[in-house]
Amino acid sequence: MTTRLDRLVALLDTGATPVVRATAARQIGGIQKQHPEELFRLLSRVYEYIGSKSWDTRVAAAQAIEAIAKEVPEWDPNQEEDIKPVVDNIEEEDMEYLNFGQFNVDSVIKHGRLLLGSAGREYEDDGLEGLNPAQRVAAQRAQMRKRLGIGAEFLGDDLLADEDLAVKVPVVAKRKVEPEPK
């Protein structure tokens, strides 16, 4: 079952005339007025049509974005709001800065999230200890193939050979330099 929004967004592309498309765009702006919390959802739905091949569709999408923007209340960063942060056991004068005495390490350890850019697999033991250099190189090449997604489970072994990974040094032929006859 399609919603009113689905039908209006579809009219941006399939409307018979530019007037129908413009009316759909204005009504999408009305939805923004009724549901201001849905701003990003509305914009993402309309944004799909900005890159359309049809000029009329692009114009209608632009009109819809304009209608949505007109219904968004103006934000003034200098406006004073009566929002106070909810913090327990902090005096009004200490509200400006937190100090280390208020920092609870146990709570951070118990309830905190890890701030890692990875799962840490790159720091784990990779099983290369105790191998001789030739075995270590072979194991590292196998790991590299697996990380690059060119493992043997999907592709044949002939796609990337060890020779492809070897460092090739150009061979320069040496010539004998003979003195020129006089």
Side-chain angles (χ1 to χ4, degrees), residues 12 47 54 66 71 88 91 94 107 131 133 158 163 174 181:
L12 293 177
Y47 182 75
S54 168
E66 178 185 14
E71 299 301 334
D88 296 334
E91 303 276 332
D94 294 336
S107 174
L131 298 177
D158 59 343
E163 293 81 31
K174 294 184 181 180

Side-chain angles (χ1 to χ4, degrees), residues 12-90:
L12 293 177
D13 188 33
T14 61
T17 65
V19 174
V20 171
R21 294 171 193 235
T23 303
R26 281 193 307 277
Q27 288 184 8
I28 290 173
I31 291 175
Q32 168 58 34
K33 187 175 186 178
Q34 294 169 356
H35 304 282
E37 69 280 354
E38 298 292 330
L39 171 66
F40 295 111
R41 184 169 175 252
L42 280 174
L43 288 175
S44 66
R45 294 288 302 273
V46 173
Y47 182 75
E48 298 172 16
Y49 294 100
I50 286 291
S52 173
K53 291 182 180 181
S54 168
W55 173 257
D56 290 335
T57 302
R58 291 194 306 265
V59 169
Q63 290 172 341
I65 290 174
E66 178 185 14
I68 292 169
K70 284 182 179 178
E71 299 301 334
V72 174
E74 187 175 329
W75 177 68
D76 181 13
N78 298 323
Q79 181 181 0
E80 295 288 327
E81 294 188 19
D82 294 336
I83 299 173
K84 288 189 173 183
V86 180
V87 181
D88 296 334
N89 301 330
I90 297 180

Side-chain angles (χ1 to χ4, degrees), residues 100-175:
F100 193 70
Q102 298 164 338
F103 184 72
N104 187 350
V105 177
D106 293 330
S107 174
V108 171
I109 291 173
K110 188 174 185 180
H111 303 291
R113 292 179 164 230
L114 294 177
L115 296 177
L116 298 176
S118 70
R121 281 186 227 114
E122 63 270 15
Y123 304 114
E124 292 177 359
D125 180 21
D126 53 4
L128 298 178
E129 288 80 28
L131 298 177
N132 66 34
Q135 292 171 331
R136 183 179 292 241
V137 169
Q140 287 174 339
R141 285 186 176 154
Q143 287 176 355
M144 184 179 61
R145 283 188 180 123
K146 183 178 176 186
R147 286 182 185 164
L148 291 175
I150 52 177
E153 64 270 2
F154 299 115
L155 305 169
D157 287 333
D158 59 343
L159 180 67
L160 182 68
D162 288 339
E163 293 81 31
D164 296 331
L165 301 175
V167 177
K168 297 178 182 176
V169 180
V171 177
V172 178
K174 294 184 181 180
R175 293 187 325 182

